[in-house]
Structures are given as C-alpha cells and as structure tokens.
Amino acid sequence: MYAVGLNRKASRYAGVRVGWTVLGLHAASGVCAAIVGILVTGYTGSSYFGSGDSYQLGSVAAVVVGGTSIYGGRGGYGFGGSQRVEEFGQLHATGGILEVIDDGGDA
C-alpha cells in the first residue's frame, strides 16, 4: 500500500499488482465507511445527510496535530495521527461528561 501510494510505476516494475491494490484499498475504505455510517446511525437514532458533520473537524485536526501534512507529499510509518485521534476522543468524551454533570447540578 505504501509503495503503491509513493510511486505506482516503480511498484508496477517491482511486481506489485497496482490495479488490484488500489481496487482493494478503495473497497476496504467503502466497507469501513459503511460500518461507521451504521454505527453513527445507531448512536444518534436517526439518519440524515449531515449526521457525521460534527465529527469532521475533530478528525482532521487530530491527523494534522499528529504530524500528517495536509498538502500531500511523502508519508511515513509513524502512529502520531492515530494517537491524536484517541486523545481527541478522550477529550470529547470528558467534555461530554462534564456537561452532563453541570447540567445535572443545575436541576
């Protein structure tokens, strides 16, 4: 996957089946998107076109803070982006808990 993304022609010369690799990656991405769509629909209890919009900014911010360039270029094998996604998720969950506690204290 990394070699195909870096240089398709060199990967093809090295014997990698570039077409099948790209097709497989697109299929895997579609399956993951479908699973997440089902989970978000189950979590919110409804389905509409913009149901995942509130998650977009946080996920992009986590990837950028993790060290991935938004301008493209060469990648790496680091796990900084996935660590930042987890940290942002924990912050989001903690903020939700604190709001629930504050709302409960006012009642």
Side-chain angles (χ1 to χ4, degrees), residues 20-95:
W20 285 106
T21 302
V22 172
L23 180 68
L25 289 172
H26 279 86
S29 175
V31 168
C32 289
I35 291 170
V36 169
I38 291 168
L39 291 174
V40 168
T41 301
Y43 178 72
T44 59
S46 64
S47 175
Y48 64 96
F49 182 71
S51 63
D53 288 348
S54 63
Y55 299 103
Q56 212 169 25
L57 183 62
S59 61
V60 172
V63 171
V64 171
V65 169
T68 303
S69 173
I70 59 173
Y71 300 111
R74 293 188 175 200
Y77 291 110
F79 294 101
S82 60
Q83 290 171 348
R84 297 306 174 263
V85 168
E86 178 64 29
E87 291 172 4
F88 273 101
Q90 293 296 326
L91 286 172
H92 187 267
T94 304

